[in-house]
Amino acid sequence: MAAPLRIGADRGNGGTINPVAGHITAAPSSPKERRVNYARQPETPALLSDEAIGALKRRIVTGELAPGAWVSEGDLTELLGMSKTPVREALAVLRRQGWITATPRSGYRIRSVTVRETRDLLDLQAVLEPMAAAKAAIGSQRYPGEVEKLAAFAVDSTGHTWANSDEILAHYRFHRRLTALGNNRELDLLLADLHLKLHQAFVIARKLDTTNLPDNTDHRRIVEAIARHDPEAARRAAAEHVTAIRTWLITALIDSDAVLDAGISGRSRSGFTKPRARSNPTGQGLR
Ligand SMILES: [Zn+2]
């Protein structure tokens, strides 16, 4: 067997949200790793607009930019400390990817978290996540060194309940790492955006219901199946994980009468603002 190839970077290297699909972009690694790990390899050198996209997605996912909040291009250039051009380019991309909507004369509106959209995302996750885990179990035979790292990510994320951005990132990283092991670029792209949007819902749901929070012990079971190179067991463990998350998430969102189409009213620290009463970096919408 060929020497194990390393994909991705070592754990604990920090990470950012890749603007293209929301990948964690690893810290610079060796040329060999970069060749192998196509999924994390930017196709072009980092652009300011990419930076803006990553920064905005991070703020949306963590709720810093509240669901349903109205913002202007000016708000965001001030928030990010960037000039208009990269922010404008970033807004165009985020709009295409469904992170914001644009309304003439009213500005941009941050993606809402609704029960229906969350359910749609969970439906997709129920299909894709078990597939990713099964592919990872197969990929683990080719990249045995990666299983150990994935296990470390599982440990990192266990006990976390998306209480802060570090915990959100830990959960996200585990799933990104798992998908990368399956070595399917299209699946990786789909799941990257799916996970980010679901994480936005996690943060909201957690503010509404802190009972029965999934503690991510499922991650360890998934890794154990992957380590045995058992795709069916990995598939089952991932399906159970998705079901646990779905049960909590939907219950939390449905049980709360505070969930509006526009996002969360009255509970979020950064509630949404109405059209024409745009927020600013020190105001409600942007905090
Ligand atoms: Zn998970």
Side-chain angles (χ1 to χ4, degrees):
M1 181 191 283
L5 295 172
R6 289 158 56 89
I7 60 175
D10 294 336
R11 60 180 280 236
N13 62 356
T16 57
I17 292 176
N18 181 293
V20 177
H23 300 131
I24 291 293
T25 303
S29 51
S30 74
K32 184 177 180 183
E33 286 174 349
R34 283 200 297 271
R35 270 202 311 278
V36 174
N37 188 18
Y38 68 84
R40 292 188 170 80
Q41 175 74 7
E43 288 170 3
T44 54
L47 300 170
L48 268 180
S49 56
D50 287 348
E51 220 175 278
I53 293 166
L56 288 172
K57 278 188 181 176
R58 184 169 55 76
R59 283 170 168 82
I60 295 171
V61 169
T62 57
E64 197 178 328
L65 282 169
W70 288 87
V71 292
S72 70
E73 190 181 288
D75 293 337
L76 299 178
T77 54
E78 196 174 334
L79 177 72
L80 301 182
M82 288 183 173
S83 60
K84 277 186 177 180
T85 305
V87 171
R88 192 172 295 161
E89 287 170 6
L91 286 168
V93 173
L94 291 177
R95 192 178 164 193
R96 282 199 300 276
Q97 293 181 348
W99 286 94
I100 56 167
T101 51
T103 306
R105 293 181 297 281
S106 293
Y108 297 92
R109 197 174 193 205
I110 305 301
R111 184 179 184 280
S112 301
V113 172
T114 67
V115 174
R116 180 178 178 151
E117 285 171 351
T118 303
R119 193 195 57 206
D120 290 350
L121 290 169
L122 288 166
D123 284 349
L124 266 182
Q125 194 192 26
V127 174
L128 299 180
E129 197 75 54
M131 186 192 295
K135 284 186 175 297
I138 296 165
S140 64
Q141 297 180 35
R142 194 172 169 199
Y143 307 115
E146 280 301 303
V147 178
E148 221 171 286
K149 291 178 196 161
L150 186 64
F153 277 86
V155 170
D156 273 355
S157 60
T158 299
H160 285 183
T161 53
W162 312 295
N164 53 53
S165 50
D166 284 348
E167 293 194 1
I168 295 165
L169 191 60
H171 186 263
Y172 177 77
R173 285 161 101 189
F174 171 77
H175 284 279
R176 305 306 314 124
R177 195 88 189 188
L178 182 149
T179 311
L181 192 48
N183 221 20
N184 180 319
R185 185 180 172 85
E186 295 305 321
L187 184 61
D188 200 44
L189 287 167
L190 279 173
L191 274 170
D193 204 51
L194 181 71
H195 280 135
L196 279 180
K197 285 174 177 164
L198 274 176
H199 277 74
Q200 187 195 21
F202 291 164
V203 172
I204 299 304
R206 198 191 177 285
K207 289 179 182 172
L208 302 170
D209 184 359
T210 53
T211 58
N212 303 316
L213 285 165
D215 63 2
N216 299 325
T217 47
D218 294 343
H219 288 181
R220 293 189 191 209
R221 281 194 289 276
I222 297 169
V223 174
E224 282 164 14
I226 290 171
R228 295 197 305 271
H229 314 308
D230 184 341
E232 285 315 308
R235 190 190 299 274
R236 280 195 303 275
E240 284 167 16
H241 182 47
V242 171
T243 301
I245 285 181
R246 181 185 190 103
T247 303
W248 165 68
L249 197 52
I250 291 294
T251 304
L253 294 179
I254 287 178
D255 282 356
S256 170
D257 55 9
V259 178
L260 307 175
D261 179 56
I264 305 301
S265 175
R267 297 210 191 183
S268 168
R269 280 195 295 161
S270 48
F272 69 92
T273 54
K274 292 177 180 172
R276 298 177 202 289
R278 291 176 191 163
S279 58
N280 58 54
T282 57
Q284 274 191 309
L286 290 168
R287 194 151 46 85

